[in-house]
Amino acid sequence: MPPTLTLKSGTAWADAWQRCLTAAPEAFRDDRVLNLWNTAWQADGRALPAVSPVDGTPVAGPPRLDRATARHAVRAALDQHRAWRHVPLPERRARVAATLDALAEHRDLLALLLVWEIGKPWRLARADVDRAVDGVRWYADGIDTMLEGRAPLDGPVSNIASWNYPMSVLVHALLVQALAGNAVVAKTPTDGGVACLTLATALAAREGIPVTLVSGSGGELSEALVRAPEIGCVSFVGGRDTGAAVATAVADLGKRHILEQEGLNTWGVWNFSDWETLGATIPKLFDYGKQRCTAYPRFVVQRGLFDAFLAAYLPAVRTLRTGHPLAVEHPDDPYPALDFGPVINAAKAKELDDQVTEAIDRGAVPLHRGAPADARFLPGQDTSAYVQPVTLLHPPRSSPLHHAEPFGPVDTIVLVDTEAELLAAMNASNGALVATLSTDERATFDRLAPHIRAFKVGHGVPRSRGDRDELFGGFGASWRGAFVGGELLVRAVTGGPAGERLPGNFPDRRLTP
């Protein structure tokens, strides 16, 4: 019999919340978080109920503002922007550095909030915080050169991001944008992360960073956060449906924009033999249940290699460790070493289960299904947001699993016989952020890789969003607007020489750095 598990000591949501009240009493009140605008924490907006995907524990929900209040918040952000853009760079850098020190001091609390709010295992939650802090420190060290001949935008940068990386994507972007001389506006994701973002924002605001944090539905706030004339740039991270609406708005207005959207990232296998290396890589591709913009949910495999591929893949996927991210055998045990916990909510879990069931009913072949009994759960806990890993062969073309990113621990495999079929299958979603081709000969990779429509293509290794000086973008429908990463992120949120053409994917051109 497996041992009975218990919650790790000091990690309950009530413990984390009490620590938030102590660390930033100005931003947390009783059982709710506040919005930050016009340089003050505001007890406005209707706070919606929310539960943790981890085990259904009630957590703080986002206090949703109405459209009129959001417009007031954006107008106030413009006033902050006009003052901040004239603050000398050494002072901006000092304030950002102080913010980073504060984030580092509260690292474990920020990580614990990520565990409860979005279900990240402890190792990955800590890494999210560390990547934000370390990444911004890199920019602070080199910002002088990056800003030569450049100036802040005419208005603040508006940030609308998905829930999966609140620190290493959203907070990282906010602080770099502020370092470059812009006031920043952020919308908390509807699905999770509000307490983590509120704490991080409170620490930044204390150091004088001109940040606005608001909550609400995208439809209600888009008029203020996307279309408002005060906004100098829109930075969006999310799905294609919402991204398409944002892209239409910014294109109509001629507004500076950075729109990172989903794509079906694929891993091709062609004339390949290093199965030991591939097998060791497979579990790493399931980090955070593949709820990442750079996850690889599709394998495109040469038919003649399918038996060897399965011999490497199946033993590897059977080693995956899932369950409650805070469940331990003894209260003082270390955090459990998991590959992933829940997906973002029970509705997403049901959506994935329904898609898998429908795909099988229409002809997909199930090759692997994880057993719930193997997961680590507390006695009697709510497990409705958990999805065990699934692998399907040949999802039908009518299934969303054939052409779209599932954003969950579901792998699909497609077999091909020719190089033309390989490339067509790897380009199934009209553009992606990353891709990988495993092939023994470098010449084969060099010949095929340019035809794969992904911004980054790895030779037998996974590619990621990257940190510091590594560039990032997407091809096709996976990206709209300016590319980012390294110096490009600073260029995207500052003005340069007259007639400057930013590298990016725009309606009238694609300019690759």
Side-chain angles (χ1 to χ4, degrees):
M1 292 289 295
T4 300
L5 302 179
T6 188
L7 196 67
K8 181 174 172 59
S9 179
T11 65
W13 171 255
D15 298 324
W17 187 255
Q18 187 58 51
R19 290 167 65 185
C20 289
L21 291 172
T22 301
E26 68 272 28
F28 296 84
R29 180 175 300 176
D30 299 328
D31 60 349
R32 63 168 289 170
V33 301
L34 307 184
N35 290 297
L36 174 62
W37 60 274
N38 197 22
T39 71
W41 290 96
Q42 315 274 358
D44 50 14
R46 182 169 59 94
L48 298 182
V51 298
S52 168
V54 169
D55 59 8
T57 294
V59 298
R64 297 169 66 124
L65 297 182
D66 58 30
R67 186 174 307 177
T69 306
R71 287 287 293 122
H72 290 312
V74 169
R75 290 193 191 103
L78 178 60
D79 293 336
Q80 288 182 282
H81 180 82
R82 286 171 172 166
W84 179 255
R85 70 197 309 268
H86 297 295
V87 172
L89 177 57
E91 184 176 344
R92 298 201 306 262
R93 179 161 40 204
R95 293 189 188 185
V96 168
T99 301
L100 297 176
D101 290 343
L103 293 174
E105 179 184 350
H106 293 280
R107 172 200 191 199
D108 283 357
L109 176 54
L110 291 163
L112 183 58
L113 293 171
L114 292 178
V115 173
W116 278 111
E117 294 191 286
I118 61 174
K120 283 200 170 184
W122 181 251
R123 170 181 61 88
L124 299 177
R126 264 188 154 191
D128 194 13
V129 179
D130 291 343
R131 283 182 63 191
V133 173
D134 295 343
V136 179
R137 286 198 196 281
W138 180 86
Y139 278 95
D141 289 341
I143 192 66
D144 300 79
T145 302
M146 298 182 197
L147 285 177
E148 288 180 358
R150 309 195 67 79
L153 300 174
D154 292 334
V157 182
S158 176
N159 293 266
I160 304 168
S162 57
W163 45 264
N164 53 342
Y165 284 89
M167 293 296 299
S168 63
V169 173
L170 183 51
V171 171
H172 177 279
L174 296 177
L175 292 178
V176 175
Q177 293 160 8
L179 184 64
N182 302 289
V184 291
V185 180
K187 175 187 171 301
T188 57
T190 303
D191 288 324
V194 61
C196 178
L197 283 170
T198 300
L199 177 57
T201 301
L203 299 175
R206 284 181 184 176
E207 303 302 335
I209 303 298
V211 57
T212 295
L213 184 68
V214 296
S215 298
S217 71
E220 185 75 10
L221 302 191
S222 62
E223 185 69 26
L225 301 184
V226 176
R227 294 182 174 273
E230 294 91 344
I231 296 297
C233 176
V234 176
S235 177
F236 170 88
V237 180
R240 288 192 180 185
D241 290 343
T242 304
V246 175
T248 299
V250 295
D252 291 345
L253 298 168
K255 195 182 293 289
R256 183 77 62 94
H257 58 284
I258 306 160
L259 309 181
E260 176 188 328
Q261 301 170 121
E262 65 188 18
L264 183 62
N265 305 317
T266 58
W267 192 300
V269 180
W270 188 262
N271 291 345
F272 178 71
S273 62
D274 188 4
W275 302 110
E276 182 177 354
T277 297
L278 180 61
T281 302
I282 295 299
K284 301 173 185 176
L285 302 182
F286 277 87
D287 271 357
Y288 194 33
K290 303 208 172 195
Q291 297 176 104
R292 297 176 289 122
C293 65
T294 54
Y296 287 84
R298 166 67 52 79
F299 289 88
V300 181
V301 182
Q302 189 174 5
R303 190 181 304 273
L305 299 178
F306 186 46
D307 57 341
F309 173 84
L310 283 185
Y313 177 90
L314 290 176
V317 80
R318 289 171 183 147
T319 68
L320 293 173
R321 300 154 298 179
T322 68
H324 192 303
L326 303 172
V328 294
E329 292 185 28
H330 306 99
D332 294 328
D333 283 351
Y335 290 89
L338 302 177
D339 295 292
F340 60 93
V343 295
I344 188 57
N345 52 44
K348 180 62 179 181
K350 183 179 186 306
E351 174 189 291
L352 288 169
D353 286 340
D354 289 347
Q355 288 178 354
V356 168
T357 298
E358 182 182 49
I360 293 172
D361 287 345
R362 296 183 179 182
V365 179
L367 298 177
H368 171 76
R369 291 197 224 194
D374 294 334
R376 297 171 53 92
F377 293 130
L378 298 177
Q381 77 161 80
D382 184 337
T383 61
S384 59
Y386 289 80
V387 176
Q388 299 307 310
V390 177
T391 307
L392 302 179
L393 176 66
H394 280 306
R397 291 184 177 275
S398 59
S399 168
L401 297 176
H402 177 79
H403 55 78
E405 182 181 17
F407 232 63
V410 179
D411 272 352
T412 58
I413 301 172
V414 173
L415 303 183
V416 294
D417 296 297
T418 67
E419 290 183 355
E421 289 179 310
L422 173 80
L423 294 173
M426 293 188 72
N427 293 329
S429 69
N430 183 27
L433 304 174
V434 296
T436 291
L437 179 60
S438 288
T439 185
D440 288 344
E441 294 186 359
R442 181 72 200 193
T444 301
F445 175 82
D446 290 342
R447 177 166 49 81
L448 296 178
H451 301 286
I452 299 172
R453 299 196 72 202
F455 187 79
K456 298 180 181 181
V457 181
H459 184 189
V461 295
R463 300 304 308 271
S464 68
R465 200 176 197 279
D467 293 303
R468 300 175 176 85
D469 59 351
E470 189 171 356
L471 307 182
F472 191 58
F475 290 164
S478 67
W479 195 279
R480 293 286 186 267
F483 294 146
V484 296
E487 184 181 1
L488 292 190
L489 175 53
V490 174
R491 291 173 63 183
V493 296
T494 56
E500 178 183 45
R501 290 162 58 89
L502 293 175
N505 190 25
F506 299 95
D508 60 339
R509 73 182 192 282
R510 186 180 78 195
L511 182 59
T512 303

